[in-house]
Amino acid sequence: MSGTTIQDHDDDHVDDRTRQVIRQLTDGADRLSFPLPRTAPFGPPAEYAELRSKCPVAPAMLHGKKSWLISKYDDVREALQSHSLSADMSHPDYPLSPGMKASLAASGPGAGSFLKMDPPVHDDLRRMVTRDFMIKRVEALRPKIQELVDGLIDDMLAGPKPADLFQALATPMPNTVICWLLGVPQSDHAFFQDRTTYFFRRDVPAEVALRKSKELNEYVYGLIDDRIADPDTDPEADILSRLVVEQYREGKIDRRTVQGIAFLMLVAGHETTGNMSALGALALLQHPEQYKALGDDPSLARGAVEELMRYLTINNEPNWRVAKEDTVIGGQKIKAGEGVVPLTFSANRDEGHYTDPDVLDIRRPDRDHLGFGYGIHQCLGQPLARVELQVFFSTLTRRIPTLRLAVPLEEVPFKTNADIYGVNALPVTW
Ligand code: HEM
């Protein structure tokens, strides 16, 4: 179905096995929940390879909406940069899950959350914070991030064994960095970390999660109001200060939008980096030669991060789109109003693009993975995530060469069915 031939909008050519695969991905009677479970535990859902070889642009029903699953590298890139597709969740034809529908109905489209917006508003809002993530600015943070990671590792090594690497290192690292960016005072870091952790947890009663999230919300509004009230707020101090001085005071955005942008940083940057750190550490531990090589040679860190991003692709395909107009992706006609699901994990394991895609190789020369997305929504925070992860993996492997899992791999609690893949805990010893 991909290539130059343009297919009409029917699925008569799809064979029975492929039809079954497609049904499993959809709301059919024998539906598997989406995202599909990963295999073994770093592998993509087994069905992805089948889709790539048999039906790279596959028709599917997603939450009652006619949609297309895009599984090959080139087609996923084409979809993610297509101006005919919209990321706007409030679009009437967006293939919303019941959960997304409920939260949209309860709180309306998130002001400031430009991840789910289209141009021109997306571009205007994104531009307001682009400066904070420029490579030069982020590189200036590297020594501070190094000091942070060293301090966290010191604390873990001084504590009891086994330790939970997820709680001891992977969660506090991005949390502290977000605190710096947003301007959360040091004295409030513990409060902030507690509330954000609850915000992302799925295993607590709904009323507790709601209370903690309300407290976090009120706290962020408090930070914004302090800056609004202070005539001497320094726009260079942190993201919130600059948004208040350069945007809010100029009447370009309201208070709710300042809060929405702050929350987007939090949601997009916290759980992703935390899970990537813990899952990446686990993947390296499963490949001891590569763990040791990285510890011996920090110059491998850049390539290691790119390879782990490709190999693990922690975002469980939340970057759905809807066609704003009739268009063609991967040679397939897609009609206005139909959903499009670019499967980035599948693209990152596409044998048509990568040699031995299912092998983790930190020396792999390819750096063109789609783990940070592609096109106008490509991850704004990627320079920061890269520095955090490079410092994290190179320091961990250098400082604790004897690190090992404290439980059998099968007992590691993986986050199944979450938007961001990872672990709930990573018991380690050394
Ligand atoms: C390993 C860590 C990270 C991963 C895997 C990741 C992944 C992604 C992906 C896949 C997208 C695109 C989603 C789409 O196309 O719909 C995205 C967007 C975004 N990310 Fe990240 N991200 C990470 C870290 C961060 C950090 C540290 C920040 C900032 C503090 C951040 C902020 C954002 C923002 C603001 C967007 C929206 C960009 C836009 O819509 O223009 N991310 N991220």
Side-chain angles (χ1 to χ4, degrees), residues 80 87 94 113-117 122-123 126 129 133 174 177-178 181 239 261 264-277 305 309 313-315 318-321 344 370-386 388-389 420:
L80 288 175
Y94 193 93
S113 188
F114 52 87
L115 174 64
K116 293 292 174 195
M117 290 180 186
H122 163 273
D123 301 4
R126 179 168 167 131
V129 278
F133 297 97
V177 174
I178 298 271
L181 292 184
I239 291 181
I261 295 176
L264 175 60
M265 301 295 136
L266 186 62
V267 173
H270 176 285
E271 207 184 6
T272 46
T273 315
N275 281 310
M276 189 57 209
S277 308
V305 168
M309 285 288 304
T313 317
I314 57 166
N315 283 59
N319 42 3
W320 301 356
R321 304 288 192 256
T344 44
L370 304 178
F372 286 121
Y374 195 72
I376 64 161
H377 291 283
Q378 188 172 34
C379 181
L380 175 70
Q382 59 182 294
L384 177 64
R386 284 194 163 104
E388 288 184 62
L389 295 170
I420 307 293

Side-chain angles (χ1 to χ4, degrees), residues 1 21 23 35 45 47-49 95 144 153 183-184 194 217 222 271 276 287 299 331 344 350 352 356 372 406:
M1 286 178 71
V21 170
R23 248 201 333 267
E47 291 82 355
Y48 283 4
K144 233 178 134 181
I153 291 182
V184 175
D194 173 77
N217 212 6
E271 207 184 6
M276 189 57 209
H287 296 80
S299 73
T344 44
D350 183 352
D356 295 331
F372 286 121

Side-chain angles (χ1 to χ4, degrees), residues 37-205:
R38 295 181 175 218
T39 47
F42 303 118
E47 291 82 355
Y48 283 4
E50 206 155 354
L51 285 178
R52 276 197 308 274
S53 72
K54 291 191 176 161
C55 196
V57 183
M61 291 297 286
L62 263 184
H63 310 305
K65 298 275 180 196
K66 176 89 190 187
S67 299
W68 296 91
L69 307 175
I70 318 286
S71 51
K72 283 185 83 74
Y73 183 94
D74 289 343
D75 299 343
V76 168
R77 250 168 69 142
E78 186 185 350
L80 288 175
Q81 66 180 339
S82 166
H83 297 296
S84 302
L85 303 184
S86 165
D88 183 356
M89 267 171 57
S90 64
H91 188 290
D93 290 316
Y94 193 93
L96 288 173
S97 67
M100 287 162 144
K101 238 179 232 166
S103 84
L104 204 63
S107 47
S113 188
F114 52 87
L115 174 64
K116 293 292 174 195
M117 290 180 186
D118 290 341
V121 185
H122 163 273
D123 301 4
D124 292 345
L125 294 179
R126 179 168 167 131
R127 218 172 290 122
M128 291 177 190
V129 278
T130 304
R131 202 165 12 132
D132 298 278
F133 297 97
M134 306 240 280
I135 293 179
K136 213 171 141 198
R137 218 176 168 104
V138 165
E139 279 297 336
L141 280 176
R142 191 184 280 268
K144 233 178 134 181
I145 294 174
Q146 181 68 61
E147 207 179 306
L148 169 68
V149 171
D150 273 320
L152 292 169
I153 291 182
D154 287 342
D155 291 348
M156 187 176 89
L157 292 178
K161 292 193 247 182
D164 177 1
L165 183 142
F166 184 62
Q167 288 301 333
L169 308 179
T171 305
M173 177 186 66
N175 202 285
T176 308
V177 174
I178 298 271
C179 284
W180 298 340
L181 292 184
L182 295 180
V184 175
Q186 180 73 39
S187 54
D188 293 343
H189 280 201
F191 167 90
F192 192 82
Q193 178 161 333
D194 173 77
R195 297 327 185 257
T196 45
T197 306
Y198 273 96
F199 185 76
F200 294 118
R201 275 173 61 175
R202 309 274 177 270
D203 58 340
V204 290

Side-chain angles (χ1 to χ4, degrees), residues 374-419:
Y374 195 72
I376 64 161
H377 291 283
Q378 188 172 34
C379 181
L380 175 70
Q382 59 182 294
L384 177 64
R386 284 194 163 104
V387 171
E388 288 184 62
L389 295 170
Q390 288 162 11
V391 170
F392 180 76
F393 293 127
S394 58
T395 312
L396 183 75
T397 52
R398 174 175 53 80
R399 289 204 46 199
I400 326 184
T402 56
L403 190 77
R404 61 184 191 280
L405 259 185
V407 296
L409 182 63
E410 309 77 64
E411 287 176 27
V412 173
F414 287 94
K415 284 183 177 153
T416 47
N417 247 342
D419 282 349

Side-chain angles (χ1 to χ4, degrees), residues 226-244:
D226 289 347
R227 284 154 178 75
I228 291 176
D230 180 0
D232 295 326
T233 296
D234 172 9
E236 292 305 316
D238 50 64
I239 291 181
L240 288 180
S241 298
R242 201 181 34 266
L243 286 173
V244 164

Side-chain angles (χ1 to χ4, degrees), residues 10-26 28 30 50-51 54-55 58-60 66:
D10 63 62
D11 51 6
D12 291 348
H13 55 286
V14 177
D15 67 33
D16 283 349
R17 172 62 190 138
T18 307
R19 208 183 286 278
Q20 192 188 338
V21 170
I22 293 163
R23 248 201 333 267
Q24 286 174 340
L25 284 159
T26 68
D30 53 349
E50 206 155 354
L51 285 178
K54 291 191 176 161
C55 196
K66 176 89 190 187

